């Protein structure tokens, strides 16, 4: 029996959009580096995953409100085909939800900025479900691959063996076969690319450590370096920083260095890590009805991996202990730490992480990133200047922070405060 009934154009477009997105997403999920170097891939994974959730809800909505072609097969195979379709709908919705639950309950509390623009709030779940969400997310991925295999074998069976024209229902025989090829190629391509990226990152990791050893700049108690306070998780999985300082890691480093030695002679090395030297300053100033309130943070730390000549590969993150903020006056400080302003009892730290860094001119740079403060994550630009040359640089810079975007200064005490806070910093860094 041949069939000419088709799915509606909307259903067909959504079917193929979701199939392509899923192919890229599963491949990315499996291949993305599960350490600090995977930060950008993780943000992309989360962005595509939430897009799939939205498209799948749309598709499900369309399916229940619009007629679709009647099933053309009965019996066991007809039941199996219908079961695979139901399984797919469950998969398309449960997969992003478990992923979302996973990041919402991770102890490292990494904010998500979809496509670098839209903040994704955490789901209101306890950390107790984190392990379960992780297991479910991985198990579902394998389930999805099994459904995919059954679905494709079923479709090809109709096309090549039964020859009932079923593929025409999803856009036409040739078109469906072309889309199948596109789905497979996209999945394999992303997997190979991300896998290759992982290996490159591992290589960078090894050479990073090699240069650490060569220049003898490794984290120690006095220097505020990449992971000196353990708050620089970059990836949901308790990812320790690449230069985490422990005897155990050092031992592993030696092994990695030994493995990497032949590679170290490559002319283009990884960007150097810079250790922030003690004595730096992080200050803020804000106009309060004509007078300027000035304060500073005593405790902050940061991680800088940057080649001043190739800033596009830089990764910078800064963590600030909010309770170390002071205006130099005990009464004002109590107010500053309180719920109307920094709310330090609920939000001990603020973090800023770079997403892209570029040179404006000469030794001046501009870095876009995400500031997470008081439970909110927003895009935040920083500009800075590097003075000096070689392995020691003086860094100074500033940022204008829109305090209202972070609900800082909400009560009547803030009535005369200007909307923006001027933040400045200065420190020396050694590579
Ligand atoms: C992971 C990717 C895919 C997912 C999630 C998926 C999901 C689905 C779902 C849920 C349906 C049922 C539509 C409905 O009744 O609402 C369907 C139908 C269909 N799919 Fe896919 N699909 C995927 C990939 C593919 C591929 C690669 C092919 C090509 C071989 C394909 C061919 C078809 C065909 C021909 C139908 C119509 C079946 C019928 O009318 O009984 N799909 N797909
Ligand atoms: C349809 C959508 C999605 C698919 C198909 C998918 C697929 C995958 C796959 C295959 C993995 C690797 C599993 C493993 O190696 O253990 C993975 C890991 C992960 N996914 Fe997703 N994902 C989706 C949506 C999401 C969303 C929306 C989020 C968060 C908002 C997310 C967060 C994660 C995280 C955090 C991991 C890493 C788990 C680990 O640390 O190993 N995923 N995903």
């Amino acid at each position: 029996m041949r069939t000419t009934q088709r799915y509606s154009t909307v259903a067909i477009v959504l079917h193929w959009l979701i199939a392509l997105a899923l192919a890229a997403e599963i491949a990315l999920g499996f291949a993305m580096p599960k350490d600090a170097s995977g930060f950008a891939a993780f943000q992309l994974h989360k962005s595509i995953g939430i897009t799939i959730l939205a498209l799948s809800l749309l598709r499900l909505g369309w399916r229940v409100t619009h007629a679709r072609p009647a099933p053309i097969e009965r019996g066991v195979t007809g039941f199996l085909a219908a079961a695979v379709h139901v399984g797919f709908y469950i998969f398309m919705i449960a997969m992003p939800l478990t992923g979302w639950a996973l990041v919402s309950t991770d102890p490292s509390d990494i904010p998500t900025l979809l496509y670098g623009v839209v903040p994704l709030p955490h789901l209101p779940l306890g950390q107790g479900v984190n392990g379960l969400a992780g297991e479910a997310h991985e198990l579902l991925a394998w389930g999805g691959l099994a459904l995919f295999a059954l679905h494709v074998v079923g479709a090809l069976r109709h096309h090549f063996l039964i020859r009932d024209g079923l593929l025409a229902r999803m856009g036409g025989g040739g078109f469906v076969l072309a889309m199948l090829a596109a789905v497979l190629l996209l999945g394999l391509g992303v997997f190979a690319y991300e896998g290759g990226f992982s290996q490159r990152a591992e290589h960078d990791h090894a050479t990073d450590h090699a240069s650490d050893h060569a220049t003898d700049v490794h984290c120690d108690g006095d220097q505020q370096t990449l992971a000196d306070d353990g708050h620089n998780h970059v990836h949901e999985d308790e990812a320790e920083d690449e230069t985490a300082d422990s005897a155990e890691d050092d031992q592993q480093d030696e092994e990695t260095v030994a493995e990497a030695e032949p590679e170290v002679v490559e002319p283009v090395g990884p960007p150097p890590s810079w250790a922030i030297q003690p004595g730096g300053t992080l200050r803020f100033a804000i106009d309060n009805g004509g007078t300027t309130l000035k304060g500073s943070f005593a405790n902050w730390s940061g991680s800088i991996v940057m080649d001043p000549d190739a800033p596009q590969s830089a990764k910078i993150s800064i963590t600030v202990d909010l309770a170390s903020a002071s205006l130099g006056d005990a009464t004002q400080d109590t107010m500053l730490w309180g719920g109307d302003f920094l709310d330090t009892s609920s939000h001990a730290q603020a973090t800023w992480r770079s997403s892209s860094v570029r040179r404006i001119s000469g030794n001046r740079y501009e870095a876009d990133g995400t500031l997470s403060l008081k439970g909110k994550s927003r895009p935040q630009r920083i500009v800075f200047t590097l003075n000096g040359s070689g392995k020691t640089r003086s860094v100074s810079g500033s940022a204008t922070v829109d305090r209202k975007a972070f609900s800082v200064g909400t009560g009547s005490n803030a009535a005369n405060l200007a909307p923006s806070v001027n933040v400045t910093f200065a420190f020396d860094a050694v590579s």
Side-chain angles (χ1 to χ4, degrees), residues 22 25-26 29-30 32 34 42 45-46 49-50 52 91 95-96 99-100 102-103 120 137-138 141 235-237:
L22 273 172
E25 179 73 347
I26 294 192
F30 279 124
M32 62 194 179
K34 308 288 195 298
F42 258 85
H45 181 78
K46 296 189 264 187
I50 295 298
I52 293 175
F91 167 76
M95 200 69 214
W100 195 355
L102 186 57
V103 297
L120 179 74
H137 198 63
E138 188 182 355
H235 164 247
E236 287 67 18
D237 243 354

Side-chain angles (χ1 to χ4, degrees), residues 6-130:
R6 281 164 59 102
Y7 280 87
S8 64
T9 307
V10 172
I12 294 176
V13 168
L14 285 172
H15 174 271
W16 292 113
L17 260 185
I18 293 172
L20 287 167
L22 273 172
E25 179 73 347
I26 294 192
L28 189 59
F30 279 124
M32 62 194 179
K34 308 288 195 298
D35 63 19
S37 66
F39 183 69
F42 258 85
Q43 292 287 334
L44 183 63
H45 181 78
K46 296 189 264 187
S47 306
I48 299 177
I50 295 298
T51 308
I52 293 175
L53 177 62
L55 289 174
S56 301
L57 291 173
L58 196 66
R59 180 165 173 201
L60 199 58
W62 185 268
R63 190 189 205 268
V64 295
T65 51
H66 292 78
R68 67 197 166 89
I72 60 171
E73 213 175 355
R74 298 182 185 279
V76 177
T77 46
F79 174 78
L80 191 61
V84 168
H85 293 169
V86 172
F88 261 146
Y89 280 111
I90 294 173
F91 167 76
M92 291 184 296
I93 288 164
M95 200 69 214
L97 285 183
T98 48
W100 195 355
L102 186 57
V103 297
S104 303
T105 55
D106 192 273
S108 58
D109 194 23
I110 304 278
T112 302
L113 208 53
L114 301 177
Y115 300 106
V117 180
V118 184
L120 179 74
H122 284 338
L123 292 170
L125 298 167
Q127 284 189 4
V129 299
N130 186 258

